Coordinates of all heavy atoms in Angstrom, one line a residue:
M1 N -38.0 56.8 -27.6 CA -39.1 56.4 -28.6 C -40.4 57.2 -28.3 O -40.7 57.3 -27.1 CB -39.3 54.9 -28.5 CG -40.1 54.4 -29.6 SD -39.8 52.6 -29.9 CE -38.4 52.7 -31.1
T2 N -40.9 57.8 -29.2 CA -42.1 58.6 -29.0 C -43.2 58.0 -29.8 O -43.0 57.4 -30.8 CB -41.9 60.1 -29.4 OG1 -41.6 60.1 -30.8 CG2 -40.9 60.7 -28.7
K3 N -44.5 58.2 -29.2 CA -45.6 57.7 -29.9 C -46.2 58.8 -30.8 O -46.4 59.8 -30.4 CB -46.6 57.2 -28.9 CG -47.9 56.7 -29.4 CD -48.8 56.1 -28.3 CE -50.1 55.6 -28.7 NZ -50.9 55.1 -27.6
N4 N -46.5 58.3 -32.0 CA -47.3 59.2 -32.9 C -48.7 58.8 -32.9 O -49.0 57.8 -33.4 CB -46.6 59.1 -34.4 CG -47.4 60.0 -35.4 OD1 -48.3 60.7 -34.9 ND2 -47.0 59.9 -36.5
N5 N -49.6 59.4 -32.2 CA -50.9 58.9 -31.9 C -51.9 60.0 -32.3 O -52.2 61.0 -31.7 CB -51.1 58.6 -30.4 CG -52.4 57.8 -30.2 OD1 -53.1 57.5 -31.0 ND2 -52.6 57.6 -28.9
S6 N -52.7 59.8 -33.4 CA -53.7 60.6 -33.9 C -55.0 60.0 -33.6 O -55.2 58.9 -33.8 CB -53.6 60.8 -35.4 OG -52.4 61.3 -35.8
H7 N -55.9 60.8 -33.0 CA -57.2 60.3 -32.6 C -58.3 60.6 -33.6 O -59.4 60.0 -33.4 CB -57.6 60.8 -31.1 CG -56.6 60.2 -30.1 ND1 -56.6 58.9 -29.7 CD2 -55.6 60.9 -29.4 CE1 -55.7 58.7 -28.8 NE2 -55.1 60.0 -28.6
A8 N -58.2 61.5 -34.4 CA -59.2 61.9 -35.3 C -59.1 61.0 -36.6 O -58.0 60.9 -37.0 CB -59.1 63.3 -35.7
L9 N -60.1 60.4 -37.0 CA -60.1 59.4 -38.1 C -59.5 60.1 -39.4 O -58.7 59.5 -40.1 CB -61.5 59.0 -38.5 CG -61.6 57.9 -39.5 CD1 -60.8 56.7 -39.0 CD2 -63.1 57.4 -39.7
S10 N -59.8 61.4 -39.6 CA -59.1 62.1 -40.7 C -57.7 62.4 -40.6 O -57.0 62.5 -41.6 CB -59.9 63.6 -40.8 OG -59.5 64.3 -39.7
D11 N -57.1 62.1 -39.4 CA -55.7 62.3 -39.3 C -54.9 60.9 -39.5 O -53.7 60.9 -39.5 CB -55.2 62.7 -37.8 CG -55.7 64.1 -37.6 OD1 -55.9 64.9 -38.5 OD2 -56.0 64.4 -36.4
F12 N -55.6 59.8 -39.7 CA -55.0 58.6 -39.8 C -54.3 58.4 -41.2 O -54.7 59.0 -42.1 CB -56.0 57.3 -39.7 CG -56.5 57.1 -38.4 CD1 -57.7 56.4 -38.1 CD2 -55.8 57.5 -37.2 CE1 -58.2 56.3 -36.9 CE2 -56.2 57.2 -35.9 CZ -57.5 56.6 -35.7
Q13 N -53.1 57.8 -41.1 CA -52.4 57.5 -42.4 C -53.3 56.6 -43.3 O -54.1 55.8 -42.8 CB -51.1 56.8 -42.1 CG -50.1 57.6 -41.3 CD -49.6 58.8 -42.0 OE1 -49.4 58.7 -43.2 NE2 -49.4 60.0 -41.3
P14 N -53.0 56.7 -44.6 CA -53.7 55.8 -45.4 C -53.4 54.4 -45.3 O -52.3 54.1 -44.7 CB -53.3 56.3 -46.8 CG -52.1 57.0 -46.7 CD -52.1 57.6 -45.3
S15 N -54.1 53.4 -45.7 CA -53.8 52.1 -45.6 C -52.5 51.8 -46.3 O -52.0 52.4 -47.2 CB -54.8 51.2 -46.3 OG -56.0 51.3 -45.6
R16 N -51.8 50.7 -45.8 CA -50.4 50.3 -46.3 C -50.5 48.9 -46.5 O -51.1 48.1 -45.8 CB -49.3 50.9 -45.5 CG -49.3 50.2 -44.1 CD -48.2 50.7 -43.2 NE -48.5 52.1 -42.7 CZ -47.6 53.0 -42.6 NH1 -46.4 52.7 -43.1 NH2 -47.8 54.1 -42.2
P17 N -49.6 48.4 -47.4 CA -49.5 46.8 -47.5 C -48.8 46.3 -46.4 O -47.9 46.8 -45.9 CB -48.8 46.7 -48.8 CG -48.0 47.9 -49.0 CD -48.9 49.0 -48.4
W18 N -49.4 45.2 -45.8 CA -48.8 44.6 -44.6 C -48.3 43.3 -44.9 O -48.7 42.5 -45.7 CB -49.9 44.4 -43.5 CG -50.4 45.7 -42.9 CD1 -51.5 46.3 -43.2 CD2 -49.7 46.6 -42.0 NE1 -51.6 47.5 -42.5 CE2 -50.4 47.6 -41.8 CE3 -48.4 46.5 -41.4 CZ2 -50.0 48.7 -40.9 CZ3 -48.0 47.5 -40.6 CH2 -48.9 48.6 -40.3
Q19 N -47.2 42.9 -44.1 CA -46.6 41.6 -44.1 C -46.8 41.0 -42.8 O -46.3 39.9 -42.5 CB -45.2 41.6 -44.6 CG -45.0 42.1 -46.0 CD -43.5 42.1 -46.4 OE1 -42.7 41.7 -45.6 NE2 -43.2 42.7 -47.6
A20 N -47.5 41.6 -42.0 CA -47.7 41.1 -40.6 C -48.8 40.2 -40.5 O -49.6 40.2 -41.4 CB -47.9 42.4 -39.6
H21 N -48.9 39.4 -39.4 CA -49.9 38.5 -39.2 C -50.3 38.4 -37.7 O -49.5 38.8 -36.9 CB -49.5 37.1 -39.5 CG -49.0 36.9 -40.9 ND1 -49.9 36.7 -42.0 CD2 -47.8 36.9 -41.4 CE1 -49.2 36.6 -43.1 NE2 -48.0 36.7 -42.9
W22 N -51.6 38.2 -37.5 CA -52.0 38.1 -36.1 C -51.4 36.9 -35.5 O -51.2 36.0 -36.1 CB -53.6 38.0 -36.1 CG -54.4 39.2 -36.2 CD1 -55.0 39.6 -37.4 CD2 -54.6 40.3 -35.4 NE1 -55.5 40.8 -37.2 CE2 -55.4 41.3 -36.0 CE3 -54.1 40.6 -34.1 CZ2 -55.7 42.5 -35.4 CZ3 -54.5 41.7 -33.5 CH2 -55.3 42.7 -34.2
I23 N -51.2 37.0 -34.1 CA -50.6 35.9 -33.4 C -51.5 35.4 -32.3 O -52.2 36.4 -31.8 CB -49.2 36.2 -32.9 CG1 -49.1 37.4 -32.0 CG2 -48.2 36.3 -34.0 CD1 -47.7 37.6 -31.4
W24 N -51.5 34.2 -31.9 CA -52.3 33.8 -30.8 C -51.7 32.5 -30.3 O -50.9 32.0 -30.9 CB -53.8 33.7 -31.2 CG -54.7 33.4 -30.0 CD1 -55.4 32.3 -29.7 CD2 -54.9 34.3 -28.9 NE1 -56.0 32.5 -28.5 CE2 -55.8 33.7 -27.9 CE3 -54.5 35.6 -28.6 CZ2 -56.1 34.3 -26.7 CZ3 -54.8 36.2 -27.5 CH2 -55.7 35.5 -26.5
A25 N -52.2 32.1 -29.1 CA -51.7 30.9 -28.5 C -52.3 29.7 -29.2 O -53.1 29.8 -30.0 CB -52.1 30.8 -27.0
D26 N -51.7 28.5 -28.9 CA -52.2 27.2 -29.5 C -53.7 27.1 -29.2 O -54.2 27.6 -28.0 CB -51.5 26.0 -29.0 CG -50.1 26.1 -29.5 OD1 -49.8 26.6 -30.5 OD2 -49.2 25.4 -28.8
G27 N -54.5 26.5 -29.9 CA -55.9 26.3 -29.8 C -56.7 27.0 -30.8 O -56.1 27.7 -31.7
D28 N -58.0 27.1 -30.7 CA -58.7 27.7 -31.7 C -59.1 29.1 -31.4 O -59.7 29.9 -32.3 CB -60.2 26.9 -31.8 CG -61.0 27.0 -30.4 OD1 -60.6 27.8 -29.5 OD2 -62.0 26.3 -30.4
G29 N -58.5 29.7 -30.3 CA -58.7 31.2 -30.0 C -60.0 31.6 -29.6 O -60.3 32.8 -29.6
H30 N -60.9 30.7 -29.2 CA -62.3 31.1 -28.8 C -62.5 31.0 -27.3 O -63.6 31.0 -26.8 CB -63.3 30.2 -29.5 CG -63.3 30.6 -31.0 ND1 -62.5 29.9 -31.9 CD2 -64.1 31.4 -31.7 CE1 -62.7 30.4 -33.1 NE2 -63.7 31.3 -33.1
E31 N -61.5 30.8 -26.5 CA -61.5 30.7 -25.0 C -62.0 32.1 -24.5 O -61.4 33.1 -24.8 CB -60.2 30.3 -24.4 CG -59.8 29.0 -24.8 CD -58.9 29.1 -26.1 OE1 -58.6 30.2 -26.5 OE2 -58.8 27.9 -26.7
K32 N -63.0 32.1 -23.7 CA -63.5 33.3 -23.2 C -62.7 33.7 -21.9 O -62.1 32.9 -21.3 CB -65.0 33.3 -22.7 CG -65.9 33.1 -23.8 CD -67.3 33.1 -23.5 CE -68.2 33.0 -24.6 NZ -69.6 33.1 -24.4
N33 N -62.5 35.0 -21.7 CA -61.8 35.6 -20.5 C -60.4 35.0 -20.4 O -60.0 34.6 -19.3 CB -62.6 35.3 -19.3 CG -63.9 36.0 -19.3 OD1 -64.1 37.1 -19.8 ND2 -65.0 35.3 -18.8
S34 N -59.7 34.9 -21.5 CA -58.3 34.5 -21.5 C -57.3 35.5 -21.8 O -57.8 36.5 -22.5 CB -58.1 33.2 -22.3 OG -58.4 33.5 -23.7
Y35 N -56.2 35.4 -21.5 CA -55.2 36.3 -21.9 C -53.9 35.7 -22.2 O -53.7 34.5 -21.6 CB -54.9 37.5 -20.9 CG -54.5 37.1 -19.6 CD1 -53.1 37.1 -19.3 CD2 -55.4 36.7 -18.6 CE1 -52.6 36.7 -18.1 CE2 -54.9 36.3 -17.4 CZ -53.5 36.3 -17.1 OH -53.0 35.9 -15.8
C36 N -53.0 36.3 -22.9 CA -51.7 35.6 -23.2 C -50.6 36.8 -23.2 O -50.9 37.9 -23.5 CB -51.7 35.0 -24.6 SG -52.7 33.5 -24.7
Y37 N -49.4 36.3 -22.8 CA -48.2 37.2 -23.0 C -47.5 36.8 -24.2 O -47.2 35.5 -24.4 CB -47.4 37.2 -21.8 CG -48.0 37.7 -20.6 CD1 -48.5 36.9 -19.5 CD2 -48.0 39.1 -20.3 CE1 -49.1 37.4 -18.4 CE2 -48.6 39.7 -19.3 CZ -49.0 38.8 -18.3 OH -49.6 39.4 -17.2
F38 N -47.0 37.7 -25.1 CA -46.3 37.3 -26.3 C -45.1 38.0 -26.2 O -44.9 39.3 -25.8 CB -47.0 37.7 -27.6 CG -48.3 36.9 -27.8 CD1 -49.5 37.4 -27.4 CD2 -48.2 35.5 -28.2 CE1 -50.6 36.7 -27.6 CE2 -49.4 34.8 -28.4 CZ -50.6 35.4 -28.0
R39 N -43.9 37.4 -26.6 CA -42.7 38.1 -26.5 C -41.9 37.8 -27.8 O -42.0 36.6 -28.3 CB -41.8 37.5 -25.4 CG -40.5 38.0 -25.2 CD -39.7 37.4 -24.0 NE -38.6 38.3 -23.6 CZ -38.2 38.4 -22.4 NH1 -38.7 37.6 -21.6 NH2 -37.2 39.2 -22.2
R40 N -41.3 38.8 -28.4 CA -40.5 38.6 -29.6 C -39.2 39.3 -29.5 O -39.2 40.5 -29.1 CB -41.2 39.1 -30.8 CG -40.6 39.0 -32.1 CD -40.3 37.6 -32.6 NE -39.6 37.6 -33.8 CZ -39.8 36.8 -34.7 NH1 -40.7 35.8 -34.5 NH2 -39.0 36.8 -35.8
E41 N -38.1 38.6 -29.7 CA -36.8 39.2 -29.6 C -36.2 39.3 -31.0 O -36.4 38.4 -31.8 CB -35.9 38.4 -28.7 CG -36.3 38.3 -27.3 CD -35.3 37.6 -26.4 OE1 -34.0 37.5 -26.8 OE2 -35.7 37.3 -25.4
F42 N -35.7 40.4 -31.4 CA -35.1 40.7 -32.6 C -34.0 41.7 -32.5 O -33.9 42.4 -31.5 CB -36.0 41.1 -33.6 CG -36.8 42.3 -33.4 CD1 -36.4 43.6 -33.7 CD2 -38.0 42.2 -32.5 CE1 -37.0 44.7 -33.4 CE2 -38.7 43.5 -32.2 CZ -38.2 44.6 -32.7
R43 N -33.0 41.7 -33.5 CA -31.9 42.6 -33.5 C -32.2 43.6 -34.6 O -32.6 43.2 -35.7 CB -30.6 41.9 -33.6 CG -30.3 40.9 -32.5 CD -29.0 40.3 -32.6 NE -28.7 39.3 -31.6 CZ -28.4 39.6 -30.4 NH1 -28.3 40.7 -29.9 NH2 -28.2 38.5 -29.6
V44 N -31.8 44.8 -34.4 CA -31.8 45.8 -35.4 C -30.4 46.4 -35.7 O -29.6 46.7 -34.7 CB -32.7 47.1 -34.9 CG1 -32.7 48.2 -35.9 CG2 -34.1 46.6 -34.6
A45 N -30.0 46.4 -36.9 CA -28.7 46.8 -37.3 C -28.6 48.3 -37.0 O -29.5 49.0 -37.0 CB -28.5 46.6 -38.7
K46 N -27.4 48.7 -36.6 CA -27.1 50.2 -36.3 C -27.6 51.1 -37.4 O -28.0 52.1 -37.1 CB -25.6 50.3 -36.0 CG -25.2 49.9 -34.7 CD -23.8 50.2 -34.5 CE -23.2 49.6 -33.1 NZ -21.8 50.0 -32.9
A47 N -27.6 50.7 -38.6 CA -28.0 51.4 -39.8 C -29.5 51.7 -39.7 O -30.0 52.7 -40.3 CB -27.6 50.7 -41.0
H48 N -30.2 50.8 -39.0 CA -31.8 51.0 -38.9 C -32.1 51.3 -37.4 O -33.2 51.0 -37.1 CB -32.3 49.7 -39.3 CG -32.0 49.3 -40.7 ND1 -32.5 49.9 -41.8 CD2 -31.2 48.3 -41.2 CE1 -32.1 49.4 -42.9 NE2 -31.3 48.5 -42.5
A49 N -31.2 52.0 -36.7 CA -31.5 52.3 -35.2 C -32.7 53.2 -35.1 O -33.3 53.3 -34.0 CB -30.3 52.8 -34.6
D50 N -33.1 53.9 -36.2 CA -34.2 54.8 -36.1 C -35.4 54.2 -36.7 O -36.3 54.8 -37.2 CB -33.9 56.1 -36.9 CG -33.6 55.9 -38.4 OD1 -33.3 54.7 -38.7 OD2 -33.6 56.8 -39.1
A51 N -35.6 52.9 -36.5 CA -36.7 52.1 -37.1 C -38.0 52.6 -36.4 O -38.0 53.1 -35.3 CB -36.5 50.6 -36.8
T52 N -39.1 52.2 -37.1 CA -40.4 52.6 -36.6 C -41.2 51.3 -36.4 O -41.0 50.3 -37.1 CB -41.2 53.4 -37.6 OG1 -40.5 54.6 -37.9 CG2 -42.7 53.7 -37.1
I53 N -42.0 51.2 -35.3 CA -42.7 50.0 -34.9 C -44.2 50.4 -35.1 O -44.6 51.4 -34.6 CB -42.4 49.6 -33.5 CG1 -40.9 49.1 -33.3 CG2 -43.4 48.5 -33.0 CD1 -40.6 48.8 -31.9
F54 N -44.9 49.5 -35.8 CA -46.3 49.6 -35.9 C -46.9 48.5 -35.1 O -46.5 47.3 -35.3 CB -46.8 49.4 -37.3 CG -46.2 50.5 -38.2 CD1 -45.0 50.3 -38.9 CD2 -46.7 51.8 -38.3 CE1 -44.4 51.3 -39.8 CE2 -46.2 52.7 -39.1 CZ -45.0 52.5 -39.8
I55 N -47.8 48.8 -34.2 CA -48.4 47.7 -33.3 C -49.9 47.9 -33.0 O -50.4 49.0 -33.0 CB -47.6 47.7 -31.9 CG1 -48.1 46.5 -31.1 CG2 -47.8 49.0 -31.2 CD1 -47.2 46.3 -29.9
T56 N -50.6 46.8 -33.0 CA -52.0 46.8 -32.6 C -52.3 45.6 -31.8 O -51.5 44.7 -31.5 CB -52.9 46.9 -33.9 OG1 -54.1 47.2 -33.5 CG2 -52.9 45.5 -34.6
A57 N -53.4 45.6 -31.2 CA -54.0 44.4 -30.4 C -55.5 44.4 -30.4 O -56.1 45.5 -30.6 CB -53.4 44.6 -29.0
D58 N -56.0 43.3 -30.2 CA -57.4 43.2 -30.1 C -58.1 43.9 -28.9 O -59.1 44.6 -29.0 CB -57.8 41.7 -30.0 CG -58.8 41.2 -31.1 OD1 -59.0 42.0 -32.0 OD2 -59.3 40.1 -31.0
T59 N -57.4 43.8 -27.8 CA -57.8 44.6 -26.6 C -56.8 45.5 -26.1 O -56.8 46.7 -26.2 CB -58.3 43.6 -25.6 OG1 -57.3 42.7 -25.3 CG2 -59.6 42.9 -26.1
R60 N -55.7 44.9 -25.5 CA -54.7 45.7 -24.9 C -53.3 45.2 -25.2 O -53.1 44.0 -25.4 CB -54.8 45.7 -23.4 CG -56.1 46.3 -22.8 CD -56.1 46.4 -21.4 NE -57.4 47.0 -21.0 CZ -58.2 46.4 -20.3 NH1 -58.0 45.1 -19.9 NH2 -59.4 46.9 -19.9
Y61 N -52.3 46.1 -25.1 CA -50.8 45.7 -25.2 C -50.1 46.6 -24.4 O -50.4 47.7 -24.1 CB -50.4 45.7 -26.7 CG -50.2 47.1 -27.3 CD1 -49.0 47.8 -27.0 CD2 -51.1 47.7 -28.0 CE1 -48.8 49.0 -27.5 CE2 -51.0 49.0 -28.5 CZ -49.8 49.6 -28.3 OH -49.6 50.8 -28.8
Q62 N -48.8 46.1 -24.1 CA -47.8 47.0 -23.5 C -46.5 46.7 -24.4 O -46.2 45.5 -24.5 CB -47.5 46.6 -22.0 CG -48.6 47.1 -21.1 CD -48.3 47.0 -19.7 OE1 -47.3 47.5 -19.2 NE2 -49.0 46.1 -19.0
L63 N -45.9 47.6 -24.8 CA -44.7 47.5 -25.6 C -43.5 47.8 -24.8 O -43.3 49.0 -24.3 CB -44.8 48.4 -26.9 CG -43.6 48.4 -27.8 CD1 -43.3 47.0 -28.4 CD2 -43.8 49.5 -28.9
F64 N -42.6 46.9 -24.7 CA -41.3 47.1 -24.1 C -40.1 46.9 -25.1 O -40.2 46.0 -25.9 CB -41.1 46.0 -23.0 CG -42.0 46.1 -21.7 CD1 -43.3 45.8 -21.7 CD2 -41.5 46.8 -20.6 CE1 -44.1 45.9 -20.6 CE2 -42.3 46.9 -19.5 CZ -43.6 46.5 -19.6
I65 N -39.1 47.9 -24.9 CA -37.9 47.7 -25.8 C -36.8 47.8 -24.9 O -36.7 48.7 -24.0 CB -37.9 48.8 -26.8 CG1 -39.1 48.7 -27.7 CG2 -36.6 48.8 -27.6 CD1 -39.1 49.7 -28.9
N66 N -35.9 46.8 -24.9 CA -34.7 46.7 -24.0 C -35.2 46.8 -22.5 O -34.5 47.5 -21.8 CB -33.7 47.7 -24.4 CG -33.1 47.5 -25.8 OD1 -33.1 46.3 -26.2 ND2 -32.7 48.5 -26.5
G67 N -36.2 46.3 -22.2 CA -36.6 46.3 -20.8 C -37.4 47.5 -20.4 O -37.9 47.6 -19.2
Q68 N -37.6 48.4 -21.2 CA -38.3 49.7 -20.9 C -39.6 49.8 -21.6 O -39.7 49.5 -22.8 CB -37.4 50.9 -21.3 CG -36.0 51.0 -20.7 CD -36.0 51.3 -19.2 OE1 -36.9 52.2 -18.8 NE2 -35.4 50.5 -18.5
R69 N -40.6 50.1 -20.8 CA -41.9 50.3 -21.4 C -41.9 51.6 -22.3 O -41.7 52.6 -21.7 CB -43.1 50.3 -20.4 CG -44.4 50.2 -21.1 CD -45.5 50.1 -20.1 NE -45.9 51.4 -19.7 CZ -47.0 51.6 -18.9 NH1 -47.6 50.6 -18.4 NH2 -47.2 52.8 -18.5
V70 N -42.3 51.4 -23.5 CA -42.3 52.6 -24.4 C -43.7 52.9 -24.8 O -44.0 54.0 -25.4 CB -41.4 52.5 -25.6 CG1 -40.0 52.4 -25.2 CG2 -41.8 51.2 -26.4
G71 N -44.7 52.0 -24.5 CA -46.1 52.3 -24.9 C -47.1 51.3 -24.5 O -46.6 50.1 -24.0
R72 N -48.3 51.7 -24.6 CA -49.4 50.8 -24.3 C -50.6 51.2 -25.1 O -50.7 52.3 -25.6 CB -49.7 50.8 -22.8 CG -50.3 52.0 -22.3 CD -50.5 51.9 -20.8 NE -51.2 53.1 -20.3 CZ -52.0 53.2 -19.3 NH1 -52.2 52.2 -18.7 NH2 -52.6 54.4 -19.0
G73 N -51.5 50.3 -25.2 CA -52.7 50.6 -26.1 C -53.7 49.5 -25.9 O -53.6 48.7 -25.0
A74 N -54.7 49.5 -26.6 CA -54.9 49.4 -27.9 C -55.2 50.9 -28.6 O -55.7 51.7 -27.9 CB -56.0 48.6 -28.3
P75 N -54.9 50.9 -29.9 CA -55.2 52.2 -30.5 C -56.6 52.5 -30.6 O -57.5 51.7 -30.6 CB -54.5 52.0 -31.9 CG -54.6 50.5 -32.1 CD -54.4 49.9 -30.7
Q76 N -56.9 53.8 -30.8 CA -58.2 54.3 -31.1 C -58.7 53.8 -32.4 O -58.0 54.0 -33.5 CB -58.3 55.8 -31.1 CG -58.0 56.5 -29.7 CD -59.0 56.2 -28.7 OE1 -60.2 56.3 -29.1 NE2 -58.6 56.2 -27.5
S77 N -59.8 52.9 -32.4 CA -60.2 52.2 -33.6 C -61.8 52.3 -33.7 O -62.5 52.4 -32.7 CB -59.7 50.9 -33.8 OG -58.4 50.8 -33.8
K78 N -62.3 52.0 -34.8 CA -63.6 51.7 -35.0 C -63.8 50.2 -35.0 O -62.9 49.5 -35.5 CB -64.2 52.4 -36.3 CG -64.1 53.8 -36.3 CD -65.1 54.5 -35.4 CE -65.2 56.0 -35.6 NZ -66.1 56.7 -34.7
P79 N -64.9 49.6 -34.6 CA -65.0 48.2 -34.6 C -64.8 47.6 -36.1 O -64.3 46.5 -36.3 CB -66.4 47.9 -34.1 CG -66.8 49.2 -33.4 CD -66.1 50.3 -34.1
Y80 N -65.2 48.3 -37.1 CA -65.1 47.7 -38.4 C -63.7 48.2 -39.1 O -63.5 47.7 -40.2 CB -66.3 48.3 -39.3 CG -66.4 49.7 -39.3 CD1 -65.7 50.6 -40.2 CD2 -67.3 50.4 -38.3 CE1 -65.8 51.9 -40.1 CE2 -67.3 51.8 -38.3 CZ -66.5 52.6 -39.2 OH -66.7 54.0 -39.1
Y81 N -62.9 49.0 -38.4 CA -61.7 49.5 -39.1 C -60.7 49.5 -38.0 O -60.5 50.4 -37.2 CB -61.9 50.9 -39.6 CG -60.7 51.4 -40.4 CD1 -60.4 51.0 -41.7 CD2 -59.9 52.4 -39.8 CE1 -59.4 51.5 -42.4 CE2 -58.8 52.8 -40.6 CZ -58.6 52.4 -41.9 OH -57.5 52.9 -42.5
H82 N -59.9 48.4 -37.8 CA -58.8 48.3 -36.8 C -57.7 49.1 -37.2 O -57.1 49.0 -38.3 CB -58.6 46.8 -36.6 CG -58.1 46.5 -35.2 ND1 -59.0 46.4 -34.2 CD2 -56.9 46.4 -34.7 CE1 -58.2 46.1 -33.0 NE2 -57.0 46.2 -33.4
Y83 N -57.1 49.9 -36.3 CA -55.9 50.7 -36.6 C -54.8 50.2 -35.7 O -54.9 49.2 -35.0 CB -56.3 52.2 -36.4 CG -55.6 53.0 -37.3 CD1 -55.8 53.0 -38.7 CD2 -54.5 53.8 -36.8 CE1 -55.1 53.8 -39.5 CE2 -53.8 54.7 -37.8 CZ -54.1 54.6 -39.1 OH -53.4 55.4 -40.0
Y84 N -53.7 50.9 -35.9 CA -52.5 50.7 -35.2 C -51.8 51.9 -34.5 O -52.1 53.0 -35.0 CB -51.5 50.0 -36.2 CG -51.2 50.9 -37.3 CD1 -50.1 51.8 -37.3 CD2 -52.0 50.8 -38.5 CE1 -49.8 52.7 -38.4 CE2 -51.7 51.5 -39.7 CZ -50.7 52.5 -39.5 OH -50.4 53.3 -40.7
D85 N -50.9 51.7 -33.6 CA -50.1 52.7 -33.1 C -48.7 52.7 -33.7 O -48.3 51.6 -34.1 CB -49.9 52.6 -31.5 CG -51.2 52.9 -30.8 OD1 -52.0 53.8 -31.2 OD2 -51.4 52.4 -29.7
E86 N -48.1 53.8 -33.8 CA -46.8 53.9 -34.4 C -45.8 54.6 -33.4 O -46.1 55.5 -32.7 CB -47.0 54.9 -35.6 CG -45.7 55.1 -36.4 CD -46.0 55.9 -37.6 OE1 -47.2 56.1 -38.0 OE2 -45.0 56.4 -38.1
Y87 N -44.7 53.9 -33.2 CA -43.5 54.3 -32.3 C -42.3 54.6 -33.1 O -41.9 53.7 -33.9 CB -43.3 53.4 -31.1 CG -44.5 53.2 -30.3 CD1 -45.5 52.3 -30.5 CD2 -44.7 54.1 -29.2 CE1 -46.6 52.2 -29.7 CE2 -45.7 53.9 -28.3 CZ -46.7 52.9 -28.6 OH -47.7 52.8 -27.8
S88 N -41.7 55.7 -32.9 CA -40.4 56.0 -33.7 C -39.3 56.3 -32.7 O -39.6 56.9 -31.6 CB -40.5 57.2 -34.6 OG -41.7 57.1 -35.4

């Protein structure tokens, strides 16, 4: 899996419609100096083995697939325009 990471704002892909949602732990999400680990397991059919993952985080993330770390971030963003990393 390789990371497609453009750092120049002019290189960013145009906006796309999303079906994703931010996730957070129980509570109001306003605890200072807190962190959480999130884990999601899913299966990909062989026909979609070349799937692309789009990921972002408020501060930092590490992306593992089948136990192997394939990326970390957060993506280069402007405070008013949050962006994502793309792994294929």
